[in-house]
Amino acid sequence: MSEVNAITVDVVSDVVCPWCFIGQKRLDKAVAAAGDVEVHIRWRPFQLDPTIPPQGKDRRDYMLAKFGSDERIREIHARIEPLGEAEGISFAFDAIKVAPNTLDAHRLIRWAGAAGEDVQNRLVRRLFQLNFEEGVNIGDHTVLVEAAREAGMDASVVETLLPSDADVEAVRTEITTASRMGITGVPCFLLEGKYAVMGAQDADTLADAIRQVAAAKARGELEKAD
């Protein structure tokens, strides 16, 4: 592929955001539909709720405090489930017992990025599956180490790093930067660091944006923009 037919998509996301899981699936379809554009994906951190303690919270209590009633929670889940099913996601909301703090998951995603784009993509997909389809606590270090192993990372290194403060501030700084850029909700797809597509847009919309930005890059227009 020529360089002008390659673009980078930074996905600002949180692994406990169901819309981000849907967005990931739609992005996969968009990349497949984008023709000869080579798309490089990087996952960037965002926390829907950084105030959750490291050990997490009981999810039902957390959701009740946030939305007020079981009926309201059921309505929200019922709206999301068919959209997920259309993308091949089997949301198992009732299986999720813990609302985790995702800071450590984002640290792991950052390390996976250093190991390679494919490794990072595999890890993010696995974390979404563990949380939403298997109801596993992705704030648990044992779970994160195993997910790292499955993604092709060196699990022994991850096991050593997780209890430390390694990259805690780096991840928090990235999250702050996203906020300063005006990103208040996720997913957000940043194309070539210049154009933002907000929300879990359908695959056709994403594919069209990818093609347009790739064409602008090929014409040399992105270098002029700031």
Side-chain angles (χ1 to χ4, degrees):
M1 296 265 180
S2 64
E3 187 179 342
V4 291
N5 270 342
I7 73 163
T8 298
V9 178
D10 289 290
V11 188
V12 184
S13 133
D14 197 359
V15 282
V16 291
C17 165
W19 295 104
C20 293
F21 195 6
I22 291 169
Q24 176 259 304
K25 294 288 191 179
R26 291 177 176 174
L27 178 60
D28 281 351
K29 289 181 179 177
V31 170
D36 63 350
V37 180
E38 183 180 326
V39 181
H40 298 287
I41 298 169
R42 297 185 300 202
W43 293 88
R44 301 298 190 187
F46 188 92
Q47 284 193 283
L48 293 179
D49 189 350
T51 69
I52 293 176
Q55 69 272 21
K57 289 185 176 181
D58 177 272
R59 185 176 185 272
R60 183 172 180 274
D61 290 347
Y62 178 74
M63 294 292 281
L64 279 172
K66 191 172 182 179
F67 296 108
S69 70
D70 282 319
E71 183 183 7
R72 177 71 180 129
I73 294 167
R74 282 194 296 271
E75 286 174 3
I76 292 165
H77 289 167
R79 186 161 56 95
I80 295 171
E81 283 166 351
L83 296 172
E85 191 175 343
E87 305 300 337
I89 300 169
S90 299
F91 279 116
F93 290 113
D94 289 343
I96 306 171
K97 303 306 179 189
V98 176
N101 184 298
T102 56
L103 181 64
D104 286 340
H106 286 303
R107 292 165 68 211
L108 184 59
I109 291 167
R110 181 182 178 89
W111 301 332
E117 184 180 331
D118 290 343
V119 174
Q120 191 181 52
N121 276 316
R122 281 197 299 271
L123 176 69
V124 171
R125 283 159 174 72
R126 185 62 183 132
L127 292 176
F128 278 135
Q129 289 170 349
L130 286 166
N131 183 66
F132 286 113
E133 296 186 319
E134 299 176 31
V136 176
N137 177 11
I138 57 171
D140 186 304
H141 283 188
T142 305
V143 171
L144 292 176
V145 169
E146 182 54 33
R149 180 182 288 110
E150 291 177 22
M153 299 173 69
D154 187 329
S156 62
V157 172
V158 170
E159 199 166 14
T160 302
L161 287 174
L162 275 173
S164 76
D165 289 333
D167 284 330
V168 167
E169 286 310 313
V171 169
R172 285 179 174 153
T173 298
E174 271 205 80
I175 292 169
T176 301
T177 300
S179 177
R180 285 178 180 156
M181 291 171 66
I183 297 171
T184 56
V186 285
C188 175
F189 304 92
L190 291 172
L191 283 66
E192 284 293 299
K194 294 181 181 294
Y195 300 96
V197 179
M198 301 294 298
Q201 301 291 336
D202 62 76
D204 288 343
T205 299
L206 283 169
D208 187 52
I210 287 168
R211 283 190 293 263
Q212 286 190 39
V213 172
K217 184 179 180 182
R219 293 191 298 268
E221 293 174 4
L222 297 194
E223 286 74 18
K224 298 171 194 171
D226 191 31

